[in-house]
């Protein structure tokens, strides 16, 4: 399955708006055919909080459906499927509470984001339960990846745990290429 940028339709009137943030039948039609098992929610207080680049290895690999419900994030998915012609490549999108966009990140991609506003909240669905022994990641500032993080002047806020993650050169991927190359997101 490819990484997809999804734009759920909002129905607006003088009261505000209503949106279906997930409809299994509709998402299957859009190519997102996974059974979600867990919802996660994070609050990042300062601007510049980086969460990621994270994944869970098989057999607990996770596909994610990410949305920002307050504030703004720059969201990124990095191809870490061994043998992929786009290995180490990435796609990114700005997800905001205002635009309501969602990023679908299939298994085989490292995922991360940086907050662009204070008190940003992110929710995401995953299709496999959390398994501590299967968690992994890549260091956010790996020069091989050269991700164009939009950072504040004071630099990022990164957890001690995430600062210990390896770079792509030291990483041995547990994911196999599935024949679907990473493509630019459809805007």
């Amino acid at each position: 399955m490819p990484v997809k940028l999804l734009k759920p339709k909002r129905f607006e009137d003088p009261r505000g708006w209503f949106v279906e943030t997930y409809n299994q039948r509709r998402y299957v039609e859009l190519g997102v055919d996974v059974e979600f098992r867990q919802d996660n929610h994070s609050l990042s207080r300062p601007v510049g909080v980086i969460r990621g680049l994270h994944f869970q290895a098989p057999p607990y690999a996770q596909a994610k459906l990410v949305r920002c419900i307050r504030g703004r994030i720059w969201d990124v998915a990095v191809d870490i499927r061994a043998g992929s012609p786009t290995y180490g490549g990435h796609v990114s999108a700005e997800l905001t509470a205002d635009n309501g966009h969602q990023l679908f990140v299939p298994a085989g991609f490292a995922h991360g984001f940086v907050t662009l506003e204070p008190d940003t909240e992110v929710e995401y669905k995953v299709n496999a339960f959390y398994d501590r022994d299967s968690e992994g990641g890549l260091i956010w500032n790996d020069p091989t990846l050269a991700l164009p993080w939009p950072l504040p002047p004071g630099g990022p806020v990164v957890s001690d745990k995430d600062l210990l993650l390896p770079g792509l050169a030291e990483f041995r991927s547990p994911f196999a290429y599935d024949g679907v190359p990473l493509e630019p997101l459809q805007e």
Side-chain angles (χ1 to χ4, degrees), residues 17-186:
W17 52 260
F18 170 85
V19 64
E20 283 185 348
T21 59
Y22 177 73
N23 176 310
Q24 184 182 30
R25 183 174 31 229
R26 176 76 177 122
Y27 277 54
V28 167
E29 290 170 1
L30 295 171
V32 179
D33 191 6
V34 298
E35 186 175 328
F36 292 109
R37 305 212 183 277
Q38 179 177 314
D39 283 354
N40 300 322
H41 185 157
S42 71
L43 166 67
S44 300
R45 295 207 186 279
V47 172
V49 169
I50 292 179
R51 294 185 186 265
L53 301 160
H54 301 145
F55 64 85
Q56 277 196 183
Y60 302 100
Q62 293 178 329
K64 299 176 180 178
L65 182 61
V66 184
R67 67 191 183 112
C68 181
I69 62 168
R70 183 167 68 162
R72 292 185 311 133
I73 62 171
W74 181 79
D75 203 25
V76 63
V78 176
D79 187 349
I80 56 171
R81 299 167 298 160
S84 170
T86 53
Y87 183 78
H90 76 278
V91 293
S92 63
E94 186 172 296
L95 307 182
T96 74
D98 289 336
N99 72 21
H101 297 173
Q102 300 174 345
L103 191 66
F104 174 72
V105 182
F109 290 80
H111 171 257
F113 64 84
V114 61
T115 59
L116 303 175
E117 292 184 5
D119 297 319
T120 292
E121 292 186 65
V122 174
E123 288 187 342
Y124 58 99
K125 296 180 167 308
V126 294
N127 70 333
F129 296 111
Y130 171 73
D131 182 77
R132 179 182 300 272
D133 295 334
S134 299
E135 67 182 351
L138 296 172
I139 189 77
W140 71 275
N141 61 351
D142 182 352
T144 303
L145 298 176
L147 297 174
W149 297 96
L151 299 175
V157 178
V158 183
S159 74
D160 291 342
K161 182 177 172 183
D162 285 356
L163 290 173
L164 300 176
L165 293 172
L168 193 64
E170 300 86 43
F171 176 66
R172 298 295 164 252
S173 180
F175 299 98
Y177 178 56
D178 59 4
V180 180
L182 179 65
E183 295 183 357
L185 297 175
Q186 298 297 315

